[in-house]
Amino acid sequence: MKKLCYLVCLYALALAGCKTHLQSQAPIVLNNSDSIKTDTVIKIIYVPVEVAVDLPKQSETKVTQGDNSHVETDLAESDAWINDDGTLGHSIKNKPGQLKGEAFVPQTTIQTNKEAVKVKEVPVPEPYPVEVERKLTLKEQIKLAAFWYLIGTIILCIGFIFRKPLLTVLRKIIRL
């Protein structure tokens, strides 16, 4: 009988064990980093500008046998003559026109645009298996239904095994 009680206790302990399936999930780490985006635009525009040109230094000399002389440069013309009374006459006049010049001067404009850009990287967590609810197997249903019965059986078996020491303890308590 004692062996049977031991076997029932061992069988009850074997059926009462349950295991939960816990799956660990890797933590999600968010990396926040700030950066500055700098755009630099360089524009070169050629603007016409009027330029003043210095007059060239020119000279011309002419010696003639007659009583008059005519000298001409790029910018002026001059006439000289001797009058009948022995005096010298001289005239100078500029040629019609202007010395104008136009030059193209580059004007550079630089535009710098600094813009703070917040980049947020969110890593995708690794997929983990998800258990879908299913019907319990027959073994699992028996384990769930028999749990309290097995606990009661274990208590009875322990009581049966230790009945003699328990009875002696009870008798001593009652005599007191």
Side-chain angles (χ1 to χ4, degrees):
M1 182 76 181
K2 213 173 199 182
K3 289 183 182 180
L4 179 65
C5 193
Y6 282 130
L7 286 175
V8 171
C9 284
L10 287 176
Y11 186 69
L13 287 174
L15 288 178
C18 294
K19 180 183 176 186
T20 59
H21 299 282
L22 295 177
Q23 295 173 353
S24 63
Q25 179 182 3
I28 297 173
V29 178
L30 299 178
N31 294 328
N32 291 334
S33 61
D34 293 335
S35 62
I36 296 176
K37 178 183 171 187
T38 304
D39 293 333
T40 303
V41 177
I42 300 173
K43 291 182 182 179
I44 298 175
I45 301 171
Y46 291 96
V47 179
V49 176
E50 286 191 24
V51 179
V53 179
D54 291 336
L55 298 176
K57 294 186 178 181
Q58 285 182 332
S59 64
E60 183 80 26
T61 305
K62 186 177 182 183
V63 176
T64 59
Q65 295 270 333
D67 61 350
N68 63 7
S69 173
H70 180 77
V71 178
E72 199 172 311
T73 63
D74 291 340
L75 302 173
E77 56 185 47
S78 172
D79 287 319
W81 65 92
I82 297 177
N83 293 325
D84 292 333
D85 58 355
T87 59
L88 178 66
H90 187 252
S91 73
I92 188 166
K93 66 178 176 176
N94 290 333
K95 290 183 178 179
Q98 297 178 340
L99 290 177
K100 283 188 178 179
E102 194 172 272
F104 290 97
V105 177
Q107 286 186 347
T108 305
T109 57
I110 298 174
Q111 283 182 330
T112 303
N113 184 15
K114 289 186 179 181
E115 182 179 315
V117 178
K118 189 166 193 173
V119 178
K120 188 180 221 182
E121 295 180 15
V122 180
V124 178
E126 294 181 18
Y128 58 92
V130 178
E131 290 188 27
V132 179
E133 276 192 46
R134 58 174 174 76
K135 291 186 177 181
L136 297 175
T137 63
L138 182 62
K139 184 179 177 182
E140 291 170 341
Q141 288 176 357
I142 291 171
K143 281 183 181 182
L144 288 174
F147 178 74
W148 290 110
Y149 297 112
L150 292 173
I151 295 294
T153 307
I154 290 171
I155 292 172
L156 287 175
C157 287
I158 290 173
F160 182 76
I161 291 170
F162 296 108
R163 68 180 184 275
K164 288 183 182 178
L166 286 175
L167 287 176
T168 55
V169 168
L170 282 175
R171 286 183 194 148
K172 287 183 181 180
I173 291 174
I174 293 174
R175 286 186 193 164
L176 291 176

